[in-house]
């Protein structure tokens, strides 16, 4: 079955960095676009970043542009999110999500990981 397992979250001070990983299994990872989505305390889901199946195209939310970098290693079935310049507004549970297929502005998801907590202290 499809499994998405995030890791790499933790507590970091403002200005610090973290690298999230998402290990995927149970499907052909290289065939699907993937996303990182976060949920801050008391707020709704925010799509943070997307990457197409081959890794050559990416998108970012304005709130993280220039600070976060999404990447993937299709040989290792792993999705990454490098987060630099973290600030307290980045505090959230971060989820990796598998798309149903395709690429564009209206991505849809069919599987989610369990999430990893990122807490940025001021």
């Amino acid at each position: 079955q499809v499994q998405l397992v995030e890791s790499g979250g933790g507590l970091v001070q403002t200005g610090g960095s973290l690298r999230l990983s998402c290990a995927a299994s149970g499907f052909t990872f290289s065939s699907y676009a993937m996303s990182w989505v976060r949920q801050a305390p008391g707020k709704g889901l925010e799509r943070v970043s997307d990457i197409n199946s081959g890794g050559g195209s990416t998108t970012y939310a304005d709130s993280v542009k220039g600070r976060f970098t999404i990447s993937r290693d299709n040989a290792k079935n792993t999705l990454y999110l490098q987060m630099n310049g973290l600030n307290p507004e980045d505090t959230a549970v971060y989820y990796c999500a598998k798309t149903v297929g395709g690429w564009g502005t209206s991505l849809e998801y069919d599987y989610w990981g369990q999430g990893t907590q990122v807490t940025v202290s001021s």
Side-chain angles (χ1 to χ4, degrees):
Q1 72 278 21
V2 172
Q3 284 194 316
L4 300 170
V5 180
E6 300 99 335
S7 60
L11 174 64
V12 64
Q13 291 186 331
T14 295
S17 298
L18 285 173
R19 188 194 196 201
L20 305 184
S21 298
C22 172
S25 61
F27 66 102
T28 306
F29 180 71
S30 59
S31 295
Y32 294 90
M34 299 288 293
S35 298
W36 287 99
V37 180
R38 69 184 180 185
Q39 186 166 30
K43 297 188 177 181
L45 293 171
E46 179 188 15
R47 201 168 106 198
V48 174
S49 184
D50 315 305
I51 188 167
N52 73 341
S53 58
S57 294
T58 58
T59 65
Y60 296 93
D62 288 342
S63 57
V64 307
K65 204 170 291 183
R67 299 187 297 123
F68 290 11
T69 303
I70 192 171
S71 63
R72 65 192 296 162
D73 185 335
N74 284 344
K76 295 182 178 180
N77 291 347
T78 304
L79 177 72
Y80 302 101
L81 185 68
Q82 177 67 44
M83 305 186 295
N84 299 328
L86 287 162
N87 58 63
E89 290 68 41
D90 296 315
T91 295
V93 178
Y94 285 71
Y95 301 91
C96 67
K98 172 188 171 295
T99 69
V100 300
W103 178 247
T105 57
S106 299
L107 294 178
E108 296 181 15
Y109 307 107
D110 53 2
Y111 291 94
W112 298 74
Q114 83 288 350
T116 186
Q117 176 70 47
V118 172
T119 303
V120 185
S121 63
S122 56

